[in-house]
Amino acid sequence: MKYVPNLKTKYNEEIVPTLMKEFGYKSVMQAPRLEKIVINQGVGSAIQDKKILEFSLNEITAITGQKAVVGKSTKDVSNFKLRKGMPIGVKVTLRKERMYEFLERLICSALPRIRDFKGINSKLDGKGNYTLGLEEQIIFPEIVMDSVHKIMGMNITFVTSANTDEEGFALLREFGLPFKKN
């Protein structure tokens, strides 16, 4: 028997019928779905200290369960002492089972650990995608506090197949992302 993440089962059995009823879709294939989750962490301070990039790489890999990739600069910026090809970021793209696993850990264990948490903003990008900005990587249970060298934020982008913000918002709301009440 093949392993299926809880959120994928929930999507197929509960979320799709709910979205079909809400938006009046005729086919299951019209319902929006989560295509990928991209976790991105800018490490501009790696220009001065190369070890910060290494720590960031290890932390993102631990959080996602998938090897992170180093992003390099595309052009020279003299004001920032930046040369083309210097490492300035870390990113991971999650798809399929790992994506659902990460989303479940984010909703159930990481977001509730944020201090004074009242929900996340509900502003999407106009095409049904959502980017969540986190200020600390220490909210994830995989990060050991003693090994953290610098508190750094990250962006988590949820890419959906939705055509409108309304459909994308409904999809993410049904998955259980805790949006602020208007």
Side-chain angles (χ1 to χ4, degrees):
M1 178 149 169
K2 190 172 183 259
Y3 168 72
V4 180
N6 297 337
L7 279 183
K8 188 170 188 176
T9 308
K10 180 181 178 185
Y11 173 74
N12 291 328
E13 294 174 2
E14 298 171 29
I15 297 174
V16 170
T18 305
L19 293 175
M20 285 181 72
K21 192 174 356 171
E22 186 177 334
F23 293 103
Y25 299 131
K26 305 240 182 308
S27 167
V28 177
M29 296 305 288
Q30 287 179 296
R33 64 189 172 281
L34 194 58
E35 292 182 339
K36 63 184 175 181
I37 297 176
V38 181
I39 296 98
N40 185 21
Q41 187 173 50
V43 194
S45 54
I47 296 167
Q48 282 85 26
D49 187 7
K50 300 279 186 233
K51 282 199 167 161
I52 293 174
L53 186 78
E54 199 175 299
F55 293 128
S56 177
L57 202 66
N58 293 336
E59 287 172 353
I60 297 292
T61 300
I63 289 169
T64 60
Q66 182 173 312
K67 182 130 175 51
V69 178
V70 175
K72 296 187 174 3
S73 64
T74 54
K75 56 186 172 186
D76 299 343
V77 182
S78 61
N79 292 352
F80 303 127
K81 297 185 177 107
L82 184 66
R83 298 282 161 253
K84 185 176 179 179
M86 288 178 103
I88 55 167
V90 174
K91 85 170 188 183
V92 171
T93 303
L94 300 172
R95 298 176 199 269
K96 299 187 179 168
E97 276 72 27
R98 282 202 178 124
M99 169 183 71
Y100 289 108
E101 287 294 323
F102 174 78
L103 182 59
E104 188 172 11
R105 284 197 317 267
L106 179 73
I107 293 168
C108 296
S109 62
L111 289 178
R113 293 175 73 172
I114 296 176
R115 198 177 301 123
D116 301 330
F117 185 66
K118 291 177 178 63
I120 57 178
N121 292 328
S122 56
K123 184 87 172 83
L124 280 78
D125 71 348
K127 294 183 179 82
N129 303 320
Y130 179 69
T131 299
L132 167 66
L134 297 178
E135 293 170 10
E136 301 176 333
Q137 81 274 36
I138 57 174
I139 63 167
F140 289 96
E142 294 87 359
I143 300 295
V144 180
M145 275 301 293
D146 298 337
S147 66
V148 173
H149 286 61
K150 186 178 182 190
I151 303 282
M152 295 192 301
M154 65 181 70
N155 290 332
I156 301 173
T157 303
F158 302 94
V159 179
T160 67
S161 65
N163 297 323
T164 64
D165 279 355
E166 188 184 359
E167 292 173 347
F169 179 78
L171 173 69
L172 295 172
R173 182 194 65 222
E174 290 299 318
F175 268 122
L177 279 176
F179 290 104
K180 288 179 184 168
K181 304 282 187 270
N182 291 348

